[in-house]
Amino acid sequence: MTPKREPVHGKLPSTDYENLYALLIRELADYAVFMLDPEGRITSWNEGVRRILGFEREEFIGQPGEILFTPEDRQAGAPRAELLRAAAQGRAPDERWHLRKDGARFFCQGVVTAVRDETGTLAAFAKVMRDATAWKRAAEEGEQLRRTLEQERAWLRAILEQLPVGVMILNRLTGRLELFNAAATALLRHEPGDSTRFRPESRFGALHADGSLYSSEEYPLFRAAASGEPVAAEVPYRRGDGSLTVLSITAAPVRDRHGQVVAAVSVFEDISERRQVRDDLERANRELIELAEALQLTNAVIWRLDGTIRLWTGGAEEFYGWTPEEAAGRNIHELLQTRVTGGLEAAMRELLRSGRWQGELRHIHKDGRELFVASYWVLHRNLAGEPSEVVEVNNDITDRRRAESYLRRSNEELARFAHVAAHDLRAPVRTVRSYAELLARRYAGRLDETAREFIGYMVEGARRQEELIAGLLRYATATNAEAGAESRVDLRASLDAALANLAEDLRAAGAEVAVDPLPAVPGYPHQLLQVFQNLIGNALKYRRPEVPPRIRVSSAERRDHWLIRVDDNGMGIPSDQHEAIFQPLKRLHGAEIAGTGIGLPTCRRIVEHHGGRIWVESQPGRGSTFLFTLPKTSP
């Protein structure tokens, strides 16, 4: 049997070996080419070794080939493994980092070839090395750039996916959508795959004015890709569920480094609500202009938030004396010297908060006369929805204010007269009462029972007459202004003062009074104290026998006023008497319960003077609830 022989690689006739080797060295000047013996020691040298590896001939030959390997490769056995692979396979190509003489690393592309003699015995190894460091660096930089671009592309895609507006990216080369984010799905209400192509026969898409669907070429995204120019449009759109909306679409081309359009990106959002608001504002602006034209004969002014007059009607000219030319561009509050109850700043705050304000103003005519108007302001907004102008309509109340002033003076004179009359009436009544009491004391032992009874009637009658005179005086002067101007009244403080005045009566009756939170209102403290004192005093006076009085005072807020409640568990009042009890001198129980019939009428005068009203809800035997309102702002 002939023994199996290993393949012979690189077997050369001995006569040609030296010539071919010399040729190889000469032709491969840019390569380090050298021979190693079977043990891996270097046996030859060429110029490429000096240029690439830095070794001279005498310091290179005889060295182990592993001196060219990095420490980590030597430790891993790479030099020996390379030779074994070449011996087994005939050649061992490799790419790895090697070391130069000075220890510098370079990247090498090389190959080791096994050289065998005529008998197939391994005779040597030939190694060829090429410095590929520049290529390796470029490849690594390219790979890093590729990874960076992929990461940035992933980040960009993640950002676009999370944007609250719809985003689509069209690949111009394939005509397919590369991106269709979640917001686009939510806005258009169909899946990304449905939008690969937009066709007129689709059941959804952008609409022409006649209701027909856009062709794909008409969409801003496709137009931007085709023209290379940005495109913006507002279009009606039928969504995947059949509903209609309006989209604001902006599309732009994407170019490569050569300037060629390779894609297009489209960003869109639902503006149906914004469009509706804009349409409403445009309609409101037209109505404002029409209103201004209709108001030419009324005392109306349109002014900007800074007070600058924009429109001055003929009615305003007739009332104030200033012509439109004189008033235009002036500040209305400076021109008319506006004075507002509660202050102009407070009126402006209410206008901006609620969109309207009404109240009374004092203005000055061009000739210096003082004028009073009931004014109504309405806030107007511009197309952006921002407050911009105020429509002010005024009604002349100058004569009414003069009449009120006259009435106020008359009331003051009446109050002074009431004081004088009460004093003059009290004097003779007090005399009758004093002498009747003196007669009863001095002649007590000489008067019979009938005489003493008559004298008692005289004393009691005189006392009641004094109470009636005092009550009438309180009624006549109930709404006289207290010392000082109207102020902010803490109703809880007024109630506490009334309870302190009635403390002894409350104790004697065993009464309990519960008080809920009460507001502060504009008014006069002493007058509001008198209201609480009269109502709680009545609850004590008209209590049920053997039933301790239970009284509760509470409040409730309404749009422009406060509602105050005073509940009791007393006798109650028949429904046919609910109005009568507020009439002066009207009493339901006669002489059996002390009183003058002036308390509730006085309460009505005070409450109405404060701009409110008072009434009662009651049933006999089930107690009464007295309710009255007080405005949040001065009437």
Side-chain angles (χ1 to χ4, degrees), residues 334-548:
E334 296 175 359
L335 180 68
L336 302 180
Q337 302 177 49
T338 305
R339 183 183 299 168
V340 187
T341 303
L344 180 60
E345 291 184 0
M348 290 299 296
R349 284 196 299 271
E350 175 62 20
L351 175 69
L352 294 173
R353 185 190 69 82
S354 66
R356 60 192 64 243
W357 176 88
Q358 59 182 347
E360 295 184 2
L361 307 177
R362 189 223 65 174
H363 286 155
I364 300 298
H365 191 276
K366 184 179 181 181
D367 62 13
R369 285 183 289 121
E370 191 175 51
L371 303 171
F372 294 93
V373 295
S375 189
Y376 186 72
W377 299 354
V378 177
L379 184 65
H380 178 67
R381 297 180 181 274
N382 59 23
L383 291 178
E386 301 168 342
S388 60
E389 295 170 330
V390 180
V391 179
E392 176 180 329
V393 179
N394 297 318
N395 291 316
D396 184 11
I397 59 169
T398 305
D399 291 341
R400 192 193 79 188
R401 289 292 295 267
R402 288 171 180 165
E404 289 174 352
S405 178
Y406 174 78
L407 182 60
R408 186 165 50 252
R409 290 194 301 272
S410 297
N411 285 338
E412 291 170 356
E413 292 173 0
L414 178 61
R416 286 193 293 271
F417 171 77
H419 274 287
V420 174
H423 180 271
D424 291 346
L425 288 173
R426 278 176 172 173
V429 172
R430 193 177 297 116
T431 300
V432 171
R433 179 179 176 183
S434 297
Y435 276 101
E437 290 174 345
L438 179 62
L439 182 63
R441 288 196 303 273
R442 182 169 294 181
Y443 298 98
R446 286 178 280 178
L447 297 175
D448 59 15
E449 185 62 29
T450 300
R452 286 195 296 273
E453 183 179 356
F454 289 166
I455 291 174
Y457 289 155
M458 293 172 61
V459 172
E460 180 62 22
R463 185 189 64 77
R464 289 183 179 177
Q465 190 67 22
E466 283 185 302
E467 289 182 356
L468 180 59
I469 293 171
L472 289 171
L473 178 60
R474 285 194 299 274
Y475 178 76
T477 60
T479 58
N480 285 0
E482 301 177 16
E486 178 187 68
S487 62
R488 200 79 182 161
V489 180
D490 182 349
L491 291 184
R492 179 58 193 258
S494 295
L495 175 61
D496 288 343
L499 294 176
N501 293 341
L502 297 169
E504 187 60 36
D505 294 336
L506 290 167
R507 230 180 351 260
E512 292 183 5
V513 180
V515 181
D516 290 347
L518 297 175
V521 298
Y524 298 94
H526 182 73
Q527 293 179 17
L528 295 174
L529 179 155
Q530 192 171 349
V531 171
F532 282 124
Q533 187 164 315
N534 286 351
L535 295 178
I536 294 173
N538 279 357
L540 297 177
K541 188 183 300 183
Y542 298 105
R543 64 183 182 272
R544 287 180 287 168
E546 309 303 326
V547 178

Side-chain angles (χ1 to χ4, degrees), residues 157 168-179 195-199 216-217 221-222 225-226 254 261-264:
R157 189 177 188 91
M168 291 191 293
I169 297 179
L170 173 71
N171 186 322
R172 185 168 182 259
L173 301 179
T174 64
R176 299 185 63 85
L177 291 177
E178 300 293 343
L179 175 70
S195 299
T196 301
R197 296 286 188 183
F198 293 91
R199 305 180 187 279
S216 60
E217 293 78 13
L221 180 64
F222 289 84
V254 179
V261 176
V262 295

Side-chain angles (χ1 to χ4, degrees), residues 83-247:
L83 296 179
L84 291 175
R85 191 166 72 252
Q89 299 176 7
R91 62 195 306 271
D94 198 12
E95 293 183 351
R96 69 173 68 243
W97 290 95
H98 280 287
L99 296 179
R100 292 189 173 92
K101 174 185 174 181
D102 60 5
R105 295 186 180 219
F106 71 100
F107 190 78
C108 171
Q109 290 178 329
V111 61
V112 176
T113 303
V115 179
R116 298 181 181 274
D117 61 17
E118 295 179 352
T119 65
T121 303
L122 180 67
F125 294 99
K127 184 162 185 174
V128 180
M129 301 176 69
R130 182 174 74 89
D131 185 354
T133 305
W135 172 86
K136 178 65 172 176
R137 299 288 189 197
E140 288 179 344
E141 291 173 0
E143 177 62 20
Q144 180 61 37
L145 178 61
R146 184 189 65 79
R147 289 197 298 268
T148 300
L149 289 175
E150 287 182 354
Q151 187 178 49
E152 291 179 350
R153 187 179 294 112
W155 288 345
L156 177 60
R157 189 177 188 91
I159 291 171
L160 294 176
E161 283 288 354
Q162 298 303 317
L163 285 178
V165 295
V167 179
M168 291 191 293
I169 297 179
L170 173 71
N171 186 322
R172 185 168 182 259
L173 301 179
T174 64
R176 299 185 63 85
L177 291 177
E178 300 293 343
L179 175 70
F180 190 95
N181 71 349
T185 301
L187 285 172
L188 304 184
R189 300 181 185 174
H190 53 72
E191 294 303 316
D194 299 334
S195 299
T196 301
R197 296 286 188 183
F198 293 91
R199 305 180 187 279
E201 63 270 18
S202 300
R203 59 186 173 84
F204 53 79
L207 300 172
H208 292 290
D210 62 2
S212 61
L213 288 164
Y214 276 33
S215 64
S216 60
E217 293 78 13
E218 293 178 287
Y219 280 86
L221 180 64
F222 289 84
R223 289 163 55 195
S227 68
E229 298 293 334
V231 179
E234 292 183 2
V235 298
Y237 194 94
R238 181 187 295 133
R239 298 187 281 203
D241 61 0
S243 62
L244 295 176
T245 188
V246 180
L247 299 179

Side-chain angles (χ1 to χ4, degrees), residues 571-581 588-589 616-624:
M571 297 178 179
I573 304 167
S575 59
D576 60 350
Q577 297 295 317
H578 286 183
E579 177 60 29
I581 59 175
L588 300 184
H589 299 280
V616 66
E617 296 175 358
S618 178
Q619 294 181 18
R622 301 186 63 178
S624 301

